[in-house]
């Protein structure tokens, strides 16, 4: 390990305490832009990310029930006192997206954590120049060099919890930085009937439907000049893109991820109206939500880092804890078509025996003679799956099942996709339904229905 050029400085706050900077050390004589010798050993993190845990975690298998240092959900609130903070986390290479969030969200509170070696105050000043509000934007930075120098184990849930910790409003809206809010999202949330519904239910999880825009260039590259002008700001712009087959629900290849959202119903929902979800179709459901910020709110489980199961586990705990999932009319988020992150590429790595195997058949291969010699835990996906099984056991043992939204009768058996299995049965999902006659939940039928009025063709 190379010598450190300066001592580690742990935390530093500016005068009003709104900027929390965690700065890592830089190595002597290194140039991040220079080409590295492939034979050189990869640099190791100089510290455990858990030293930043607000939950008191010390290992990945530390799971938590509640959010520390937040007001109690038992404290009464009324519609007129409700306000919102947009919360996000991001890596250095996506800082450019933040000004677009600022413009769409308006002059309203935002809390972000950025995984970068830059100083938080320096980053914030740049963002203010780009149009973000100096008064409304709270920035924290966490050192990439100190915690993930190789970029393969992004501490996403630690960053999310840090971003939550700076919320001063009654409610928050969580969206990863690559999901851009509709221009009217804040105004829809502030409709009186919406705030009255929120005030009446501390465990209301307001679902903001998520869509994706197709990349505007044929080459696999980030063609921002082509993409950005077409990122829809309003519902009519989004529907127009869907009719042209240039946008769709997110993500058609992952049916469980957002398949419980009632997209067809949303198309005709009036602005600010609520539609309670009748059931959850998959444990992989990971909606973006507006929620009451309070101590009873489950935190993100910090052992899930990098890509895989870091958000769906949160939704699983919310459901079991008694949160009511209800989607909001007219509101939406739209995914920017970025390139795969290093964490995603790390997740995608497979042994040669599994390269062309359907995800539902992995278990069969692993139990065969061909798969018996695979070192599963040398792969990120298997390690995450193992931790996920630990988490499910913890959830059943420590969180009383108070679900107000049941699993659907034809809920997907998500465990067949796991690389790691145990003999214990999952009572919530007995089998995967091969036949699903509910068009609201068939991802391809949904997108056809959304584009149904007329086929505007492709540009």
């Amino acid at each position: 390990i190379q010598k450190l050029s300066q001592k580690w400085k742990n935390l530093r706050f500016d005068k009003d305490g709104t900027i929390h900077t965690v700065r890592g050390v830089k190595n002597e004589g290194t140039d991040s832009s220079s080409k590295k010798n492939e034979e050189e050993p990869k640099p190791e993190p100089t510290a455990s990310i858990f030293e930043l845990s607000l939950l008191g975690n010390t290992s990945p298998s530390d799971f938590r029930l509640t959010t520390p240092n937040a007001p109690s959900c038992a404290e009464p609130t009324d519609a007129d006192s409700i306000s919102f903070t947009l919360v996000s986390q991001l890596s250095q290479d996506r800082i450019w997206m933040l000004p677009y969030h600022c413009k769409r969200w308006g002059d309203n509170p935002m809390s972000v954590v950025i995984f970068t070696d830059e100083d938080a105050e320096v980053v914030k000043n740049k963002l203010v120049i780009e149009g973000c509000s100096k008064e409304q934007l709270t920035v924290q930075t966490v050192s990439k060099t100190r915690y993930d120098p190789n970029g393969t184990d992004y501490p996403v849930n630690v960053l999310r919890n840090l971003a939550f910790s700076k919320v001063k409003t009654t409610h928050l809206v969580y969206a990863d930085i690559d999901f851009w809010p509709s221009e009217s999202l804040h105004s829809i949330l502030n409709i009186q009937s919406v705030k009255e519904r929120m005030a009446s239910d501390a465990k209301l999880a307001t679902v903001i439907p998520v869509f994706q825009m197709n990349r505007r260039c044929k080459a696999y590259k980030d063609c921002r000049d082509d993409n950005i002008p077409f990122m829809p700001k309003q519902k009519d712009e989004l529907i127009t893109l869907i009719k042209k087959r240039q946008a769709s629900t997110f993500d058609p290849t992952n049916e469980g991820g957002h398949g419980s959202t009632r997209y067809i119903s949303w198309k005709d929902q009036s602005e600010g109206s609520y539609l309670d979800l009748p059931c959850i179709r998959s444990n992989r459901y990971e909606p973006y939500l507006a929620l009451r910020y309070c101590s009873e709110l489950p935190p993100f489980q910090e052992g899930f880092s990098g890509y895989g199961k870091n958000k769906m586990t949160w939704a699983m705990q919310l459901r079991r804890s008694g949160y009511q999932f209800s989607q909001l009319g007219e509101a939406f988020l739209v995914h920017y078509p970025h390139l795969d992150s290093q964490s995603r590429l790390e997740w995608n790595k497979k042994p040669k025996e599994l390269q062309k195997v359907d995800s539902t058949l992995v278990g069969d291969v692993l139990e065969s003679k061909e798969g018996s010699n695979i070192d599963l835990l040398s792969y990120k996906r298997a390690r995450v799956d193992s931790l996920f099984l630990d988490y499910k056991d913890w959830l059943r043992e420590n969180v009383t099942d108070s679900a107000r939204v049941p699993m659907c009768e034809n809920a997907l058996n998500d465990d067949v996709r796991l690389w790691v299995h145990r003999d214990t049965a999952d009572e919530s999902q007995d089998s995967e339904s091969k036949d699903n006659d509910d068009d609201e939940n068939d991802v391809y039928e949904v997108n056809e229905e959304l584009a149904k009025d007329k086929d505007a063709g492709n540009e």
Side-chain angles (χ1 to χ4, degrees):
I1 302 175
Q2 294 174 319
K3 292 182 179 179
L4 305 179
S5 62
Q6 62 182 31
K7 292 182 179 179
W8 164 247
K9 295 180 181 179
N10 190 9
L11 303 177
R12 184 179 67 78
F13 296 84
D14 68 359
K15 293 181 180 179
D16 63 7
T18 60
I19 301 177
H20 169 197
T21 302
V22 183
R23 299 185 64 189
V25 294
K26 296 182 179 179
N27 294 328
E28 291 180 342
T30 60
D31 180 0
S32 61
S33 64
S34 62
K35 187 174 182 180
K36 296 181 179 180
N37 188 323
E38 293 182 359
E39 296 180 357
E40 288 183 3
K42 293 182 178 179
E44 295 293 331
T46 60
S48 166
I49 190 64
F50 292 115
E51 71 180 15
L52 301 181
S53 174
L54 300 177
L55 311 179
N57 290 342
T58 59
S59 74
S61 58
D62 288 337
F63 306 123
R64 302 297 176 178
L65 294 169
T66 57
T67 297
N69 305 318
S72 171
C73 283
E75 294 181 9
T77 186
D78 58 78
D80 292 337
S81 66
I82 287 178
S83 55
F84 304 91
T85 299
L86 180 63
V87 179
S88 194
Q89 51 70 38
L90 58 147
S91 52
Q92 167 81 39
D93 61 330
R94 294 183 184 172
I95 292 178
W96 68 268
M97 295 189 187
L98 255 175
Y100 293 97
H101 284 250
C102 292
K103 292 171 186 175
R104 289 166 176 246
W105 185 244
D107 189 18
N108 299 295
M110 293 178 62
S111 173
V112 299
V113 177
I114 307 173
F115 201 43
T116 177
D117 293 328
E118 286 195 70
D119 183 271
E121 189 171 5
V122 171
V123 175
K124 180 174 179 178
N125 288 338
K126 293 177 181 177
L127 292 169
V128 170
I129 293 173
E130 291 293 322
C132 294
S133 169
K134 183 177 181 180
E135 293 74 25
Q136 300 284 17
L137 177 64
T138 299
V139 176
Q140 302 175 69
T141 59
V142 172
S143 171
K144 179 180 183 298
T145 298
R146 182 169 174 82
Y147 298 109
D148 186 28
N150 297 315
T152 57
D153 202 27
Y154 183 74
V156 57
N157 280 354
V158 172
L159 303 185
R160 285 168 170 158
N161 288 335
L162 285 171
F164 275 26
S165 72
K166 296 300 180 180
V167 171
K168 305 299 182 186
T169 54
T170 60
H171 288 67
L172 60 82
V173 179
Y174 182 76
D176 290 330
I177 200 66
D178 47 339
F179 291 85
W180 297 15
S182 57
E183 203 169 59
S184 57
L185 178 56
H186 189 268
S187 63
I188 293 173
L189 290 167
N190 275 279
I191 292 173
Q192 187 66 18
S193 60
V194 173
K195 295 197 294 183
E196 288 174 356
R197 174 76 188 271
M198 290 184 171
S200 69
D201 188 351
K203 287 191 172 182
L204 176 66
T206 299
V207 175
I208 303 171
V210 183
F211 297 83
Q212 65 181 33
M213 189 187 77
N214 301 343
R215 187 175 292 107
R216 304 293 298 189
C217 52
K218 293 182 179 180
Y220 183 68
K221 64 178 183 179
D222 185 8
C223 44
R224 295 180 198 173
D225 291 342
D226 297 320
N227 292 331
I228 293 171
F230 287 91
M231 285 288 283
K233 300 181 179 71
Q234 300 294 345
K235 183 178 178 179
D236 59 345
E237 297 174 352
L238 172 64
I239 296 299
T240 296
L241 287 177
I242 293 173
K243 289 177 179 179
K244 294 180 177 181
R245 307 301 197 270
Q246 295 169 2
S248 67
T249 59
F250 186 89
D251 161 15
T253 63
N254 177 15
E255 185 178 1
H258 293 269
S260 300
T261 301
R262 314 294 283 189
Y263 282 104
I264 294 176
S265 297
W266 177 86
K267 182 181 178 182
D268 297 318
Q269 260 187 273
S270 59
E271 183 179 70
S273 64
Y274 272 101
L275 175 65
D276 292 348
L277 301 189
C279 60
I280 302 299
R281 195 160 176 263
S282 168
N283 268 342
R284 299 202 312 280
Y285 189 48
E286 49 181 11
Y288 288 101
L289 303 166
L291 298 145
R292 174 90 179 267
Y293 176 63
C294 54
S295 58
E296 288 86 344
L297 176 68
F300 285 97
Q301 301 300 342
E302 295 175 341
F304 293 97
S305 59
Y307 189 89
K309 296 181 171 60
N310 53 68
K311 188 151 53 63
M312 57 168 273
T313 45
W314 185 51
M316 286 173 63
Q317 190 170 345
L318 289 170
R319 190 190 75 84
R320 190 172 176 88
S321 300
Y323 278 77
Q324 174 66 55
F325 291 81
S326 187
Q327 69 187 41
L328 186 60
E330 290 282 329
F332 69 89
L333 301 169
V334 60
H335 180 258
Y336 178 86
H338 60 75
L339 306 184
D340 286 344
S341 65
Q342 286 180 284
S343 292
R344 177 61 185 267
L345 296 175
E346 188 70 15
W347 169 268
N348 287 344
K349 290 180 180 178
K350 297 179 180 180
K352 65 179 184 300
E353 294 86 351
L354 300 179
Q355 290 292 335
K356 297 181 180 181
V357 177
D358 184 271
S359 61
T360 61
L361 301 176
V362 166
D364 294 338
V365 175
L366 295 176
E367 291 175 3
S368 69
K369 182 178 180 180
E370 182 185 12
S372 60
N373 294 322
I374 298 175
D375 181 10
L376 275 182
L377 294 183
S378 66
Y379 293 90
K380 173 69 174 179
R381 183 162 183 166
R383 295 194 298 273
V384 171
D385 284 354
S386 180
L387 182 64
F388 176 64
L389 292 177
D390 290 342
Y391 171 72
K392 287 179 68 179
D393 290 342
W394 173 87
L395 193 65
R396 281 193 291 265
E397 294 170 5
N398 293 277
V399 179
T400 301
D401 189 355
S402 305
R404 295 156 66 184
V405 186
M407 296 299 292
C408 299
E409 290 185 4
N410 62 345
L412 302 174
N413 180 10
D414 300 301
D415 284 1
V416 301
R417 301 175 183 273
L418 298 176
W419 285 18
V420 178
H421 292 271
R422 294 177 187 163
D423 293 333
T424 56
D426 182 357
E427 297 176 358
S428 67
Q429 298 176 320
D430 295 327
S431 62
E432 182 168 4
S433 172
K434 295 182 179 179
D435 298 314
N436 176 27
D437 57 3
D438 183 357
D439 287 349
E440 277 277 10
N441 283 325
D442 186 298
V443 65
Y444 297 104
E445 291 290 339
V446 165
N447 283 289
E448 286 301 310
E449 186 66 27
L450 290 173
K452 194 172 182 179
D453 290 348
K454 65 176 182 178
D455 189 348
N458 296 317
E459 287 187 355

